[in-house]
Amino acid sequence: MAKDFTSREQDYSKWYNELVIKADLAENSDVRGCMVIKPYGYAIWEKMQAALDKMFKDTGHQNAYFPLLIPKSYLSKEAAHVEGFAKECAVVTHYRLKTAEDGSIVVDETAKLEEELIIRPTSETIIWNSYKKWIQSYRDLPLLINQWANVVRWEMRTRLFLRTTEFLWQEGHTAHATKAEAIEESEKMLHVYADFAENWMAMPVLKGVKTESERFAGALETYCIEALMQDGKALQAGTSHFLGQNFAKAFDVKFADKEGKLEHVWATSWGVSTRLMGALVMSHSDDNGLVLPPKLAPIQVAIIPIYKGLEQLETISKKVNEIKSALESEGLSVKYDDRDTHKPGWKFAEYEFKGVPVRIAIGPRDLENGTVEVARRDTLEKKVISMDGVTDYVAQLMIDIQENLYLRADKYRIENTFKVETYDEFKKAIEKGGFVLAHWDGTSETEEKIKQDTKATIRCILLDGEKEEGICILTGNPSQQRVVFAKAY
Amino acid sequence: MAKDFTSREQDYSKWYNELVIKADLAENSDVRGCMVIKPYGYAIWEKMQAALDKMFKDTGHQNAYFPLLIPKSYLSKEAAHVEGFAKECAVVTHYRLKTAEDGSIVVDETAKLEEELIIRPTSETIIWNSYKKWIQSYRDLPLLINQWANVVRWEMRTRLFLRTTEFLWQEGHTAHATKAEAIEESEKMLHVYADFAENWMAMPVLKGVKTESERFAGALETYCIEALMQDGKALQAGTSHFLGQNFAKAFDVKFADKEGKLEHVWATSWGVSTRLMGALVMSHSDDNGLVLPPKLAPIQVAIIPIYKGLEQLETISKKVNEIKSALESEGLSVKYDDRDTHKPGWKFAEYEFKGVPVRIAIGPRDLENGTVEVARRDTLEKKVISMDGVTDYVAQLMIDIQENLYLRADKYRIENTFKVETYDEFKKAIEKGGFVLAHWDGTSETEEKIKQDTKATIRCILLDGEKEEGICILTGNPSQQRVVFAKAY
């Protein structure tokens, strides 16, 4: 399986592309920039969805569903918003095909829409058009809604999961009576995302706010979580926006407060997408293939019999089924691969490549000795243990592997985070890769010049960053706090 | 809540529309024919999804995700398929907006697609284009995939849930080595749908096959489940198609069998949609509002305190929290509504209208007597019972209500199923409403004439229908079996 597979050292980008395809996570479709998410990849996404959905519901949110198609005029109502998205909108102009005289199928020009419809690139406008009807009084607030949906943004350069024309995501859209409440909500959801990244994906993240130039189109503040991939590039893994009253004003959404006074409501929106799949792959996987954290692995334990002849297989299978039941009763998802179409060695490589956290092998000698061989994917360590203790041992391994992946990624993050004082140091550090903490004078001009010069962008201004006076690496102007620079996906 | 609410007797169609909106299930958006599914409606859909998803997985299917956008040329590859869907296709022609000289937002004519893209009305073509890459050998079969997705069909007349331009659904797409296996799969999934309709939705259904003229565009056989709504109209609630080798041939998907011989694979597809929400509403609800089967109710038990003053509320709440915990530990979803913004009477009406299966009221006298009042939504019966027994009582009520709803609907179905022998009898029966079992000569011409004449269509030819010789109600030609006619949604 892992043969003719590019290593990270050789070409990180190629390694990623090959891994996503060969591990059956996704593939490119013939539709420009649109991917097919294959069953194994989708099973991981389903686990992500389930965990996030529970976290949203536990924080008081409800799911709903709004139309895929947005009238062009809605999109235009919030000026910054349309400016941000206009260049990547898929536009529906007709609603019928017909058979032409030559027998070919063509667009029926008589079925032209009076107003063009946009496939949602994000749903603020269509949702706020509904909220206008839903919100009258302070009693209707807060309104805490989430939507699981597909969106389309016409991207020029696409990569599986990381940047695709169509992607799957969730988008939260909330309305509040006060500014403070809306800010609290956007920060709360950022922490939910960070919690998910760290505790489910085993991926450490920085929490911060974006600079003005990197803000979501229509937001007053964009909070983000940023992760560091193994090639030293940053990846924005989730964003949460404080939208102020921009959309409430654009769609005229007011509420009567307790005194009956009408005021515009305050808004947030927040989202994570199938991009997280790319982040997951690039955080942990290695030259032997995928490495999945146990909490998100569709198969947590693969059991492989080593046998000669059907009789031996039967004896082994009897024992394996006991072990499998015991593991399943601990809530683990177990696959017993007794296919006779493939040899054990092929199966070992297969489950290793697919990132299955734990592999158990059992052969005739194990039966005699009452043992099994347990291999963990993260360290590739193998250990022969007593059959009696296998359930407890594997249950503990799940915890250990989850933790080890986090610690390993966090160690990498720490080792690849650099403080620099001069522009020369900065350029060298950026070239090397990693998060670079540097002083910046706070202007968009400086930010843009640095970006032009080095391809590095300001990933975020840390939420919990310490205040520290200094001078801007580029201009020498005063700065109150270091910001996080990196090259990014 | 239920005030100024139309009764079924007055105007069934209006009753339905009002109910869907007033019960907060869904509403029309400003985008023609597209609905907004509100949180309460979506919560029911989520329960449907969870149950169906488990049934699909238990029968060996995996989820995946394919692109929203389909190249026009793909859709054209299967002749019957494109003919069936061409008239209702939303067409994407451009991929960018721009700001015009007058400041308005317009379509950027320079960003015109070389080949138009269709928003999927169903995904056979885009999926079979992938299957071509996925299937080489008999080892790759069967391929059992399901997708949860949104689809768009440009409908001229729309109604919330029943017929909308965009709707949510699942679509299964499977590939098999033999014709027999594919037929077995399409029948198996029909039985899964019937099982779901009957055991979760408490909605009895007929299982049958469609006549040629009612078949899915591209299918050799369309299996369906048909339910009877309270106004005597039939509703097609799910379909499963045996597609033969049509799509395999259109997309050139062949597999090597064990002897290495190349053959086209055999296919099925099957789907149910948010239309089921409409079927659910129309099967059980009454003039007091929604009636939901316990298995699909987002809130299964509502508890309402009756009190004067905060002190009394506190005493009641303490007791209620015990009851709530006990019910929740039985797996029930319970809402304790202690809001002081609304009076008990308002709350009673609210939960009744929302179809919550069981309502518990508890006041100071109940505290003294150690009792609660339990009301069931299906029969509107109330009963005062001992607090100690409330958990067991309510748990049993859930089973009883689920069963009662099914039996009530089934009784209605039986009472509204008629056998007729002559065309006069037929026309009278169709006018009255219900399923009408009549002999038909098997020709599309006769079917069409009857439809023109009476608006009745052949809903299905029953799978388990008894063979019975007779003569066609219209032509007098011989018939081997009665078929099921009805007016339909």
Side-chain angles (χ1 to χ4, degrees):
Chain A
M1 194 77 217
K3 273 183 211 160
D4 67 8
F5 173 51
T6 304
S7 73
R8 287 167 296 175
E9 187 70 29
Q10 282 176 309
D11 186 337
Y12 191 82
S13 173
K14 197 167 166 219
W15 165 82
Y16 173 79
N17 292 341
E18 283 184 13
L19 181 51
V20 167
I21 288 170
K22 292 193 179 182
D24 284 331
L25 299 182
E27 65 185 24
N28 289 300
S29 77
D30 292 353
V31 187
R32 212 184 144 290
C34 290
M35 65 179 159
V36 174
I37 307 178
K38 297 181 81 172
Y40 194 60
Y42 200 82
I44 300 171
W45 176 242
E46 283 182 303
K47 290 211 148 199
M48 288 187 173
Q49 280 190 299
L52 284 165
D53 197 67
K54 183 168 186 308
M55 291 168 105
F56 300 154
K57 284 175 177 157
D58 286 348
T59 44
H61 302 86
Q62 293 181 296
N63 289 329
Y65 189 77
F66 296 85
L68 170 73
L69 301 171
I70 301 180
K72 195 188 65 183
S73 58
Y74 286 21
L75 205 70
S76 313
K77 281 195 183 180
E78 213 289 327
H81 189 69
V82 70
E83 190 173 328
F85 286 103
K87 291 202 181 78
E88 43 192 53
C89 284
V91 189
V92 177
T93 54
H94 294 75
Y95 55 86
R96 202 187 302 142
L97 299 174
K98 66 170 187 181
T99 308
E101 280 178 15
D102 66 356
S104 67
I105 303 295
V106 296
V107 174
D108 185 343
E109 290 297 338
T110 66
K112 192 171 192 301
L113 288 170
E114 275 183 45
E115 180 182 1
E116 296 91 350
L117 296 169
I118 310 303
I119 300 182
R120 61 181 164 223
T122 179
S123 299
E124 276 77 6
T125 57
I126 191 92
I127 287 181
W128 278 87
N129 189 63
S130 277
Y131 282 2
K132 186 185 164 70
K133 287 172 262 176
W134 297 6
I135 299 169
Q136 269 95 43
S137 129
Y138 69 95
R139 285 188 205 85
D140 303 320
L141 298 174
L143 186 57
L144 305 173
I145 306 261
N146 175 61
Q147 163 171 280
W148 290 96
N150 53 344
V151 288
V152 170
R153 297 178 187 176
W154 209 269
E155 298 282 356
M156 285 301 133
R157 289 183 182 193
T158 60
R159 282 187 79 187
L160 290 170
F161 290 124
L162 298 173
R163 195 173 294 279
T164 49
T165 298
E166 181 190 14
F167 57 88
L168 303 184
W169 80 343
Q170 61 67 219
E171 46 183 324
H173 294 272
T174 69
H176 306 265
T178 67
K179 179 178 176 179
E181 256 187 55
I183 290 176
E184 193 192 330
E185 166 79 7
S186 36
E187 292 184 354
K188 183 198 284 174
M189 298 323 289
L190 186 80
H191 294 305
V192 164
Y193 288 157
D195 180 4
F196 174 75
E198 304 197 338
N199 292 311
W200 288 81
M201 297 175 66
M203 180 174 80
V205 291
L206 302 181
K207 290 182 270 194
V209 297
K210 288 285 180 195
T211 61
E212 195 186 337
S213 66
E214 298 274 338
R215 254 177 227 148
F216 176 76
L220 298 191
E221 191 83 274
T222 287
Y223 299 84
C224 62
I225 52 171
E226 295 281 329
L228 192 62
M229 303 296 100
Q230 295 178 57
D231 61 346
K233 282 170 81 174
L235 185 142
Q236 174 181 302
T239 49
S240 179
H241 314 293
F242 167 58
L243 303 171
Q245 296 174 309
N246 286 352
F247 287 91
K249 283 177 181 166
F251 288 88
D252 193 28
V253 185
K254 288 179 183 165
F255 74 101
D257 68 12
K258 284 188 185 172
E259 285 75 43
K261 214 180 89 197
L262 285 177
E263 287 191 61
H264 283 114
V265 303
W266 298 84
T268 83
S269 67
W270 29 275
V272 295
S273 72
T274 36
R275 183 165 224 234
L276 289 179
M277 294 285 298
L280 185 73
V281 170
M282 290 203 294
S283 289
H284 306 301
S285 299
D286 61 25
D287 297 343
N288 299 306
L290 275 187
V291 177
L292 297 175
K295 284 189 184 177
L296 295 176
I299 302 167
Q300 295 171 308
V301 182
I303 307 181
I304 295 155
I306 298 161
Y307 63 96
K308 279 187 185 141
L310 276 184
E311 203 179 322
Q312 220 174 54
L313 177 62
E314 261 175 49
T315 321
I316 292 175
S317 294
K318 213 179 134 195
K319 203 71 211 173
V320 167
N321 285 328
E322 284 171 27
I323 295 173
K324 186 167 183 271
S325 297
L327 290 171
E328 283 172 346
S329 70
E330 291 290 307
L332 295 173
S333 103
V334 182
K335 178 160 177 178
Y336 176 39
D337 188 348
D338 60 353
R339 287 179 292 174
D340 61 1
T341 44
H342 299 86
K343 298 221 189 288
W346 186 95
K347 293 178 188 175
F348 284 18
E350 167 79 2
Y351 295 108
E352 187 172 289
F353 194 78
K354 291 278 183 78
V356 174
V358 167
R359 181 186 77 218
I360 298 176
I362 175 165
R365 198 167 305 164
D366 290 306
L367 280 188
E368 274 171 35
N369 303 337
T371 57
V372 295
E373 186 196 73
V374 180
R376 54 188 280 183
R377 176 64 184 88
D378 58 340
T379 59
L380 301 174
E381 285 165 350
K382 289 178 206 170
K383 201 167 169 183
V384 174
I385 64 156
S386 157
M387 241 176 230
D388 300 335
V390 69
T391 313
D392 289 348
Y393 184 79
V394 170
Q396 184 58 45
L397 258 191
M398 291 294 146
I399 297 167
D400 294 348
I401 295 173
Q402 184 82 28
E403 188 175 84
N404 180 49
L405 289 180
Y406 179 82
L407 291 176
R408 200 160 78 176
D410 203 40
K411 183 163 177 281
Y412 174 82
R413 181 189 64 80
I414 291 165
E415 288 173 357
N416 290 278
T417 300
F418 309 100
K419 273 192 188 179
V420 300
E421 308 305 328
T422 69
Y423 199 45
D424 269 354
E425 282 173 25
F426 176 83
K427 284 191 278 191
K428 273 176 208 153
I430 286 294
E431 201 49 45
K432 190 161 171 273
F435 285 136
V436 181
L437 300 171
H439 279 288
W440 161 63
D441 65 13
T443 69
S444 296
E445 294 72 38
T446 300
E447 190 182 3
E448 182 60 28
K449 272 182 204 153
I450 293 173
K451 186 176 170 184
Q452 293 294 338
D453 228 18
T454 64
K455 288 187 182 155
T457 48
I458 301 178
R459 302 318 303 154
C460 66
I461 303 161
L462 290 173
L463 276 192
D464 55 1
E466 51 180 324
K467 297 293 165 200
E468 178 201 316
E469 302 221 337
I471 58 165
C472 175
I473 46 166
L474 185 73
T475 62
N477 289 335
S479 150
Q480 307 306 313
Q481 188 182 358
R482 289 173 192 272
V483 297
V484 182
F485 284 91
K487 286 194 204 169
Y489 279 94
Chain B
M1 196 77 218
K3 272 183 211 160
D4 66 9
F5 174 51
T6 305
S7 73
R8 288 167 294 176
E9 186 72 29
Q10 281 176 310
D11 186 338
Y12 191 82
S13 173
K14 198 168 167 217
W15 165 83
Y16 173 79
N17 293 340
E18 283 184 12
L19 180 52
V20 168
I21 288 170
K22 292 192 180 182
D24 284 331
L25 299 182
E27 65 185 25
N28 290 300
S29 78
D30 292 354
V31 187
R32 212 181 145 292
C34 292
M35 67 181 159
V36 174
I37 307 179
K38 297 181 81 172
Y40 194 60
Y42 200 83
I44 300 170
W45 176 242
E46 283 182 303
K47 291 211 147 199
M48 288 187 173
Q49 280 190 298
L52 284 164
D53 197 67
K54 184 169 185 309
M55 292 167 106
F56 299 154
K57 284 175 177 158
D58 286 348
T59 44
H61 302 84
Q62 292 181 297
N63 288 329
Y65 188 78
F66 296 86
L68 170 73
L69 300 172
I70 302 179
K72 196 188 66 183
S73 58
Y74 286 21
L75 204 71
S76 313
K77 282 195 181 178
E78 213 289 328
H81 190 68
V82 69
E83 188 173 329
F85 286 103
K87 291 202 181 80
E88 42 192 54
C89 283
V91 189
V92 177
T93 54
H94 294 76
Y95 56 84
R96 201 187 302 142
L97 298 175
K98 66 170 187 180
T99 308
E101 281 179 15
D102 66 356
S104 67
I105 303 295
V106 297
V107 174
D108 184 344
E109 290 298 337
T110 67
K112 193 170 191 301
L113 288 169
E114 274 184 45
E115 179 182 4
E116 295 91 351
L117 296 169
I118 310 305
I119 301 181
R120 61 181 164 223
T122 179
S123 299
E124 276 78 5
T125 57
I126 191 92
I127 287 180
W128 278 88
N129 190 62
S130 278
Y131 282 3
K132 186 185 163 72
K133 288 172 262 177
W134 298 5
I135 298 170
Q136 268 96 42
S137 129
Y138 70 94
R139 286 187 203 86
D140 303 319
L141 298 174
L143 185 57
L144 305 173
I145 306 261
N146 176 60
Q147 162 169 280
W148 289 97
N150 54 344
V151 289
V152 170
R153 297 178 186 176
W154 209 269
E155 299 282 356
M156 284 301 134
R157 288 183 183 194
T158 60
R159 282 186 79 185
L160 290 169
F161 291 123
L162 297 173
R163 194 173 294 278
T164 49
T165 298
E166 181 190 13
F167 56 88
L168 304 183
W169 79 343
Q170 60 66 220
E171 45 182 326
H173 295 273
T174 70
H176 306 264
T178 66
K179 179 177 176 178
E181 256 188 55
I183 290 175
E184 191 191 332
E185 166 80 8
S186 37
E187 291 183 355
K188 182 198 283 175
M189 298 322 289
L190 186 79
H191 293 305
V192 164
Y193 288 157
D195 180 4
F196 174 75
E198 303 196 339
N199 291 311
W200 289 81
M201 297 175 67
M203 181 175 81
V205 291
L206 302 181
K207 291 182 270 194
V209 296
K210 288 285 180 196
T211 60
E212 194 185 339
S213 66
E214 299 274 337
R215 252 177 228 150
F216 176 76
L220 297 191
E221 191 83 275
T222 287
Y223 298 84
C224 62
I225 53 171
E226 296 280 330
L228 192 62
M229 302 296 101
Q230 295 178 57
D231 61 347
K233 282 170 80 173
L235 186 142
Q236 175 181 301
T239 49
S240 179
H241 314 293
F242 167 58
L243 302 171
Q245 296 173 309
N246 287 352
F247 288 92
K249 284 177 180 164
F251 288 87
D252 193 26
V253 185
K254 288 179 183 165
F255 74 101
D257 67 13
K258 284 186 185 172
E259 285 76 43
K261 215 180 89 194
L262 285 178
E263 288 191 59
H264 283 114
V265 304
W266 298 83
T268 84
S269 68
W270 29 274
V272 295
S273 73
T274 36
R275 183 165 225 232
L276 289 180
M277 293 286 297
L280 184 73
V281 170
M282 290 203 294
S283 289
H284 307 300
S285 300
D286 61 25
D287 297 343
N288 299 306
L290 276 186
V291 177
L292 296 175
K295 284 189 184 178
L296 295 175
I299 303 167
Q300 294 172 308
V301 182
I303 307 181
I304 295 156
I306 298 161
Y307 64 97
K308 278 186 185 143
L310 276 183
E311 203 179 323
Q312 219 174 54
L313 177 61
E314 261 175 48
T315 322
I316 291 174
S317 294
K318 214 179 133 195
K319 203 70 213 171
V320 167
N321 286 327
E322 286 170 27
I323 295 173
K324 186 167 182 271
S325 297
L327 290 170
E328 283 171 347
S329 71
E330 291 289 309
L332 295 173
S333 103
V334 183
K335 177 160 179 179
Y336 176 40
D337 189 348
D338 60 353
R339 287 180 293 174
D340 62 359
T341 44
H342 299 85
K343 297 223 190 289
W346 186 94
K347 293 177 187 173
F348 284 18
E350 167 78 3
Y351 295 107
E352 187 171 291
F353 194 78
K354 291 278 182 77
V356 173
V358 167
R359 181 186 77 218
I360 297 177
I362 175 166
R365 198 167 304 164
D366 289 306
L367 279 189
E368 274 171 38
N369 302 338
T371 57
V372 295
E373 187 196 73
V374 180
R376 53 189 280 184
R377 176 63 184 89
D378 59 339
T379 60
L380 300 174
E381 285 165 348
K382 289 179 205 168
K383 201 167 170 185
V384 173
I385 65 155
S386 157
M387 240 176 231
D388 301 333
V390 69
T391 312
D392 290 348
Y393 184 78
V394 170
Q396 184 58 46
L397 258 190
M398 291 294 146
I399 297 166
D400 294 349
I401 294 172
Q402 185 81 29
E403 188 176 85
N404 180 49
L405 289 180
Y406 178 82
L407 291 176
R408 200 162 78 175
D410 203 41
K411 183 164 176 280
Y412 175 82
R413 180 189 65 80
I414 293 165
E415 287 173 357
N416 289 278
T417 299
F418 309 100
K419 274 193 186 177
V420 301
E421 308 304 329
T422 70
Y423 200 44
D424 268 355
E425 282 173 24
F426 176 82
K427 284 191 277 192
K428 272 176 209 155
I430 286 295
E431 199 50 44
K432 190 159 171 273
F435 285 136
V436 180
L437 300 170
H439 279 287
W440 162 64
D441 65 14
T443 70
S444 297
E445 295 71 38
T446 300
E447 189 183 3
E448 182 60 26
K449 271 183 206 154
I450 294 174
K451 185 176 170 184
Q452 292 294 338
D453 227 18
T454 64
K455 290 186 179 154
T457 49
I458 300 179
R459 303 316 305 153
C460 66
I461 302 159
L462 290 174
L463 277 192
D464 55 359
E466 52 179 323
K467 297 291 165 202
E468 177 201 317
E469 302 221 336
I471 57 164
C472 175
I473 46 165
L474 186 74
T475 62
N477 289 335
S479 150
Q480 307 305 312
Q481 187 181 0
R482 289 174 190 271
V483 296
V484 182
F485 285 91
K487 286 194 203 169
Y489 279 94

